Amino acid sequence: MKRRIDIILCLLIGGIICAYFLSLFYPIQKLIVTPDFGGNDSLYATSYNYIFWQHIQKNTLPFWIQNYMNGYPLFAQGLIGTLYLPNLVLYRFLPFVLANNASLVLSIMFLGTGTYLFLRRLSLHPLSSLFGALTFAFSGTVITQLTHPQVILTMGLMPWVFLSGDILLSSWSFDSFLFFIFVSLEQYFAGFPQSVFITHFFFLFYSFIFRRTISYRSLFIRLAGVYVCIFVLSLPQLLPSIEYSKQLTVSKGFLGDFATQFSYPLKHLITLVSPFALGNPSIGTYPSFTAFDGSIFWENTAYIGILPLLCLGLLMTKNVRQKNLWSAETHRVFGFLSLVTFSFLLMTGKYSPLYILYSFPPFTLFRTPSRFIWTFVFFLTILASLGIDKLRSFLFRTIFIAALVCLIGIQSVILIHTFSSYHAKDDAHIWFSRPEILRTIEITRARILSVGNEALHNSIFLKNGWHDMGTLRAQRNTLSQDQGSLIGLDSMNDFVGRSMKRSSVIHILLQKSLPTSESATVSPLFQNILTMYGTTMLASPFELYSKSLTKINETTISGQSYVLYQNTLVSSSLSTPKTILFAKTTGNIETMLSDPSLSARDTAILEGNERIVPISHLVVISNIQEKESEIHATVRSDLGSLLVYDALYYPGWEAKIDHKNVPIIPVNVIKQGIIVPAGIHKIEFRYVPKLFYLGLLISGLALIIITIAILFRFFVFPPRIAGGTRKPSSHPFRNHGTQ
């Protein structure tokens, strides 16, 4: 009977969540298109997911994509949940929009049901657990973060980590060991490492606060063994991601003030009970990005309402009056209170007395301390649920149930109504169709740089919000990075926050040379960068003038002009330079690219000291066969030549001449090059994710060992009781004394 109640209430949680998100599926399929500061993170994520969907439909993984810059190792980046089982199933068998939305909704369902089962594990009444589950699932922390589905996917499994972890701590059985490892791996594969770190950082604290009968030393050894297994099994994703992180400008972590960027402002505590007390960004009343030293509304809103805080007050009052301050109940309350306090001190970042922690790894690996708001709200919700459960001690059973039903109804209605109109949702078909600026021209494939559109974006949405769908749709004409792949365009814009070392050199120079006025003549530095790095088109609200830029279209919407230019000097994927220059510093590169007489299309810049490099004036490149992560061609030259391939210089790329490996050298900072000898030769560039295969091999061997252990466990030594029958399993989601 009790298990049936748990199943029914989990289905109820899932039903309420599905009803809340029904508008994404019916009567038409929609996308969440809520903008962020400077861009649209929800569309960034949708673009990533669309690329993943396109690959998984072909039974491949997006190890290397051409959609961003000069190619990008999307799998190694680790932010799209490539190995996350629900994603693999949904994106393989469902149409994209349905899969994209279903993945998001399923994650919220995991979060809600996981919270419910964890509260049941803490011996709370089913209705008290339901109150906590719905409060957390519809809190401001969760709903405002729907624009960051990677965070939602990983944090959706946070309650399950604590649930499986608590089962492990109480039994240390083989089954609980496997359960915890499986959940932990799925959370890591879901695709947001900071969320994984936050979750397990606090689970370790939880383990030592609420340890059972074993010693601290034994607990440490056992947990170390568990995490070694998780580490080994995560290697297919972890090894490529480590290699990727070494290529970043922040490969050693965020230093100084960058590590505490986006700390939680203390005045935002008022949003616990009034989410829009400081303003509502959806209608343009929230202060600008700089008002809270860079912090943003959706990173700082912890709204759960007044009822949970009243329940928390009730809990603290009852425990303060308790005579036995060393009781198990008091230990539990103050244990969770310490977790809430620690979460608060970490999320306040540079405003906290613990700010010094952000000078040391692993805290320096991430920025945005305010993301600790997730554990703050989670533990706060648990305390509130413990408080509402206290009503059982002085109310008759029927009155208690009736009171909880009313409180659950009131709390759910308040939370759901508060954010019911917050997000921008629009017909998915519109966002996969070409914007006005592209409808009258034919473009099959293009690499586009969007210039001056970030300032335009901020000037519109910081003042007016995003509920004017016409304005939101008009921004599609900027052809910005966050939605280009949805319409088959490649972007030259760099990733914000985590740029690669090599690409950041070019984009820093690009930022220096960007036009800043509504009418400007393009500088030689800007033009040479466009040409050298394969930018075929430029989209901007500005009137730009250059001999090599041709205006091919212009559209005006609500008084705002959007202009599209074509760069006429771009070379092909494979090229041979007529001039070779050598640079030792970034300053040398800037000087060379600033030269107005430079023929960027025919020039290659090599690193280091000058040396002899063959240059042939009679080169024929034929039989080009190009795919996303490889290219084949035949090269004929009279004297030999440097062959430049327009793909990012990155570990994992291999080059062959006549089927023999040759070294790849960096050209023009971010491109690849090889020296081709005189004569006719077949050349090949190919990206091979060796570390993925290595990790897969090691993890596969570990899985074989675990499988053998499982078979040994169940067929050689099955658990039995005195009568010789199989020992019945206890309810895994319930601790001692559960109602």
Side-chain angles (χ1 to χ4, degrees), residues 13 17 104-118 132-139 141-142 151-160 374 378:
I13 293 169
I17 291 171
L104 183 66
V105 175
L106 186 63
S107 298
I108 305 294
M109 292 172 65
F110 283 157
L111 185 140
T113 55
T115 303
Y116 172 84
L117 293 173
F118 181 61
L134 293 176
T135 296
F136 189 38
F138 291 102
S139 67
T141 302
V142 175
V151 178
I152 296 293
L153 261 63
T154 46
M155 283 306 191
L157 291 176
M158 179 176 67
W160 287 89
W374 282 84
F378 178 58

Side-chain angles (χ1 to χ4, degrees), residues 527-653:
Q527 179 60 63
N528 287 332
I529 289 175
L530 292 184
T531 300
M532 184 169 281
Y533 300 100
T535 305
T536 56
M537 292 189 178
L538 187 148
S540 178
F542 303 150
E543 283 285 343
L544 302 177
Y545 303 98
S546 171
K547 293 180 180 180
S548 61
L549 289 180
T550 303
K551 182 190 294 187
I552 59 174
N553 206 3
E554 182 175 5
T555 186
T556 301
I557 302 174
S558 300
Q560 177 61 54
S561 294
Y562 303 91
V563 188
L564 185 64
Y565 302 89
Q566 184 172 25
N567 183 17
T568 60
L569 297 179
V570 178
S571 59
S572 60
S573 298
L574 291 173
S575 61
T576 56
K578 297 177 181 178
T579 303
I580 295 179
L581 303 176
F582 295 88
K584 295 182 180 180
T585 66
T586 303
N588 294 154
I589 296 171
E590 182 177 0
T591 301
M592 293 172 183
L593 292 177
S594 299
D595 184 355
S597 64
L598 180 74
S599 177
R601 182 169 57 178
D602 301 320
T603 300
I605 301 176
L606 302 184
E607 299 172 13
N609 297 321
E610 293 189 15
R611 53 196 182 275
I612 298 176
V613 177
I615 297 178
S616 177
H617 295 285
L618 181 59
V619 180
V620 177
I621 303 174
S622 59
N623 302 324
I624 297 177
Q625 300 176 19
E626 186 173 11
K627 298 180 182 178
E628 196 158 41
S629 58
E630 62 181 282
I631 190 169
H632 303 258
T634 301
V635 178
R636 182 174 57 132
S637 64
D638 54 349
L639 300 174
S641 179
L642 171 66
L643 181 68
V644 180
Y645 177 37
D646 186 26
L648 182 68
Y649 182 80
Y650 185 83
W653 277 95

Side-chain angles (χ1 to χ4, degrees), residues 34-35 144 275-276 279-287 297-298 418-424 460-469 472:
T34 307
T144 60
F276 305 121
N280 184 347
S282 71
I283 58 176
T285 59
Y286 187 76
F297 178 83
W298 36 92
T418 299
F419 292 106
S420 60
S421 60
Y422 173 78
H423 283 290
I460 293 174
F461 295 113
L462 286 179
K463 294 179 181 178
N464 305 318
W466 49 73
H467 286 303
D468 181 354
M469 202 55 65
L472 195 58

Side-chain angles (χ1 to χ4, degrees), residues 23 90 252 260 324 358 411 456 525 566 638 703 709:
S23 61
L90 293 173
K252 296 182 180 179
T260 55
N324 184 6
Y358 289 95
Q411 176 73 350
L456 175 63
L525 175 60
Q566 184 172 25
D638 54 349
L703 276 176

Side-chain angles (χ1 to χ4, degrees), residues 179 192 266 268 320 430 449 499 548 572 581 613 674 694 702 708:
F179 184 30
F192 201 77
L266 295 177
H268 252 274
V320 168
I430 293 175
L449 179 69
S499 299
S548 61
S572 60
L581 303 176
V613 177
I674 57 174
L694 175 62
I708 293 173

Side-chain angles (χ1 to χ4, degrees), residues 180-244:
F180 180 73
I181 287 180
F182 174 76
V183 173
S184 299
L185 281 173
E186 283 301 290
Q187 190 192 34
Y188 175 64
F189 290 149
F192 201 77
Q194 186 180 17
S195 298
V196 178
F197 164 67
I198 291 171
T199 299
H200 287 271
F201 179 79
F202 273 94
F203 171 70
L204 291 175
F205 271 91
Y206 175 87
S207 301
F208 284 91
I209 292 174
F210 296 104
R211 69 185 178 92
R212 301 300 190 263
T213 55
I214 63 175
S215 66
Y216 285 114
R217 180 176 178 273
S218 179
L219 177 63
F220 176 81
I221 293 172
R222 293 185 185 189
L223 286 176
V226 170
Y227 278 101
V228 166
C229 292
I230 294 172
F231 172 81
V232 171
L233 292 174
S234 69
L235 288 178
Q237 178 66 70
L238 185 61
L239 289 180
S241 294
I242 291 174
E243 181 182 62
Y244 168 81

